[in-house]
Amino acid sequence: LFRACCPFFFLETIFLFVFQCDKYKTGVIDGSACSSLCAKETLYFGKCLSTKPNNQMYLGIWGNLQGVIKCQMEETIHLDLGTELEPRKEIVLFDKPTRGTTVQKFKEMVYGLFKQKLGEQGNLSELVNLILSVADGNKDGRVSLPEAKSAWALLQLNEFLLMVILQNKEHTPKLMGFCGDLYVMERVEYTSLYGISLPWILELFIPSSFRRSMDQWFTPSWPRKAKIAIGLLEFVEDIFHGPYGNFLMCDTSAKNLGYNDKYDLKMVDMRKIVPEINLKELLKDRHCESDLDCVYGTDCRTLCDQSKMKCTAEIIQPNLAKTCQLLKDYLLRGAPSEIHEELEKQLYSCIALKVSANQMEMEHSLILNNLKTLLWKKISHTNDS
């Protein structure tokens, strides 16, 4: 089952496989991928795709399909204030829900979890029903206890929750299946915004300035970059005050973005896209010495209230501003001369967006639509569109 496992956690991967399949065979967990992984042996761990030794991500070979297998890569955010800022990774015991839990009780558990993560949303019941339909891995019209245990473990993970919420959106990879807290998602053909990714060991020895130059060398043509950028702006729209609240991008970097052979943007890694309410609870009132203590991921920052030595709750920079910062060099390099000045002006206006600004939502929508219109007008009559 292991065709090209990463040598630095080969034993851990074998343990994961044995652990998951033992839980499946003893009736503790179940899911749409369990039978293929553990009984039929038609789901294989293929090439290692991880760029860091603490991640477990593989090419998945499932019959004649290819996907990406993620093996409990994510560390759950805990809201117990007073502990360390970074989330802790724990062994999933699959101890919830317990035997005797009715479907109605499980729905109440899921509703309570969503209320904690997403806040008071009028349509949370719809999301609960959506989760139950996903949890029904064998599509027999009912959710068994083993299926519920898998679903509960997966719902602790930001990426899984976001994939379900955005399952019909163009720029979100499709969920192919799951077993316990292991899940298989659609494979993205190009797994870097710049079209090149290097083994993590090489990244350690490449100076950041030279890496930035390399990034610019290995990019698609400008019209194709513009199409990818439009896709990223559309994804920002998808998670900005969507049907289940606002999600914040806390690691806006090129390595988390990819695209397919038609140059449609696809998210590669959504682990650090978190519900705004969830993140505010994590950061607010946390002890701080400076603003550096009030950061989650790399990009979600609040201020340190020096008079109280506590972090404030309001995130400083919206998703769109961080996205435009990422796209600035990407789009300006090679941009047609007739739109270069206007494009630069719009990008800098976008980067200057602040969450606390008056009428931020109106400015957000205006800037985003202006950028999309400028780019689309330039490429709409080209083959690359």
Side-chain angles (χ1 to χ4, degrees), residues 17 28 37 53 64 68 116 182 187 278 328 332 357 378:
F17 167 74
V28 176
L37 179 68
N64 59 354
V68 173
Q116 180 190 38
L182 173 153
R187 184 192 179 198
N278 206 191
K328 178 171 69 69
L332 290 178
K378 194 60 191 172

Side-chain angles (χ1 to χ4, degrees), residues 10-36:
F10 177 74
L11 291 178
E12 186 176 349
T13 306
I14 292 179
F15 171 78
L16 171 73
F17 167 74
V18 172
F19 178 76
Q20 298 279 0
C21 288
D22 177 68
K23 293 294 184 183
Y24 166 65
K25 291 175 180 177
T26 54
V28 176
I29 61 172
D30 200 356
S32 52
C34 287
S35 176
S36 296

Side-chain angles (χ1 to χ4, degrees), residues 238-252:
D238 290 340
I239 63 173
F240 181 68
H241 293 314
Y244 305 107
N246 190 23
F247 284 75
L248 298 174
M249 301 170 71
C250 294
D251 185 1
T252 315

Side-chain angles (χ1 to χ4, degrees), residues 1 131 133 173 181 224 255 347:
L1 290 175
I131 290 298
S133 69
D181 60 339
R224 290 170 173 171
K255 71 179 187 298
L347 285 168

Side-chain angles (χ1 to χ4, degrees), residues 83-97:
T83 58
E84 69 277 7
L85 180 61
E86 287 301 310
R88 304 187 304 275
K89 192 168 187 177
E90 300 175 344
I91 296 174
V92 176
L93 300 176
F94 305 113
D95 55 350
K96 293 181 181 179

Side-chain angles (χ1 to χ4, degrees), residues 198-210:
L198 299 174
W200 67 274
I201 193 68
L202 293 181
E203 294 277 11
L204 297 176
F205 298 101
I206 298 177
S208 58
S209 58
F210 183 67

Side-chain angles (χ1 to χ4, degrees), residues 109-374:
M109 287 173 59
V110 174
Y111 186 93
L113 177 66
F114 289 162
K115 187 175 178 180
Q116 180 190 38
K117 280 179 170 281
L118 306 173
E120 291 282 1
Q121 305 285 340
N123 50 359
L124 285 185
S125 295
E126 295 177 15
L127 183 56
V128 171
N129 290 332
L130 179 60
I131 290 298
L132 262 64
S133 69
V134 173
D136 180 14
N138 59 6
K139 303 305 176 188
D140 63 352
R142 55 182 290 273
V143 178
S144 65
L145 180 62
E147 288 173 333
K149 286 180 181 289
S150 292
W152 183 256
L154 288 165
L155 287 176
Q156 313 307 312
L157 310 180
N158 294 322
E159 182 168 68
F160 182 85
L161 176 58
L162 203 55
M163 273 196 296
V164 173
I165 290 175
L166 301 176
Q167 63 177 344
N168 295 321
K169 298 295 184 179
E170 179 183 359
H171 307 296
T172 306
K174 304 304 180 190
L175 177 68
M176 297 173 63
F178 63 92
C179 182
D181 60 339
L182 173 153
Y183 55 101
V184 188
M185 58 193 291
E186 172 190 1
R187 184 192 179 198
V188 180
E189 188 166 355
Y190 299 97
T191 54
S192 171
L193 188 63
Y194 296 99
I196 183 172
S197 57
L198 299 174
W200 67 274
I201 193 68
L202 293 181
E203 294 277 11
L204 297 176
F205 298 101
I206 298 177
S208 58
S209 58
F210 183 67
R211 184 65 169 107
R212 285 193 295 270
S213 297
M214 285 181 62
D215 286 343
Q216 296 300 333
W217 297 339
F218 294 94
T219 58
S221 65
W222 189 86
R224 290 170 173 171
K225 288 194 293 184
K227 186 179 182 184
I228 294 167
I230 290 170
L232 181 54
L233 294 172
E234 289 173 345
F235 179 77
V236 171
E237 282 185 292
D238 290 340
I239 63 173
F240 181 68
H241 293 314
Y244 305 107
N246 190 23
F247 284 75
L248 298 174
M249 301 170 71
C250 294
D251 185 1
T252 315
S253 57
K255 71 179 187 298
N256 295 331
L257 312 172
Y259 54 92
N260 61 21
D261 57 359
K262 296 180 180 179
Y263 299 92
D264 297 316
L265 176 102
K266 293 286 185 180
M267 299 303 296
V268 173
D269 189 340
M270 300 189 293
R271 289 176 299 148
K272 285 295 191 290
I273 301 178
V274 299
E276 181 177 23
I277 289 179
N278 206 191
L279 186 62
K280 284 183 174 181
E281 286 296 318
L282 178 72
L283 291 177
K284 76 172 186 179
D285 297 330
R286 185 171 292 280
H287 176 77
C288 61
E289 303 287 338
S290 70
D291 293 346
L292 295 177
D293 298 319
C294 303
V295 181
Y296 175 75
T298 57
D299 295 324
C300 287
R301 304 169 184 273
T302 69
L303 297 175
C304 179
D305 185 341
Q306 294 289 344
S307 65
K308 300 177 181 178
M309 305 298 284
K310 299 287 186 181
C311 294
T312 57
E314 293 303 317
I315 304 297
I316 298 171
Q317 200 176 28
N319 293 333
L320 183 58
K322 293 179 283 191
T323 297
C324 287
Q325 181 67 57
L326 174 65
L327 290 175
K328 178 171 69 69
D329 293 339
Y330 187 72
L331 284 176
L332 290 178
R333 183 181 177 90
S337 57
E338 61 269 24
I339 68 163
H340 191 283
E341 184 178 347
E342 178 62 22
L343 178 59
E344 185 175 32
K345 177 183 175 182
Q346 289 195 26
L347 285 168
Y348 276 105
S349 294
C350 176
I351 292 169
L353 269 176
K354 300 291 183 185
V355 170
S356 58
N358 291 333
Q359 299 180 318
M360 192 279 290
E361 291 192 24
M362 186 181 297
E363 287 186 46
H364 182 286
S365 297
L366 185 63
I367 289 173
L368 192 149
N369 288 328
N370 285 345
L371 259 175
K372 284 173 58 180
T373 300
L374 179 65

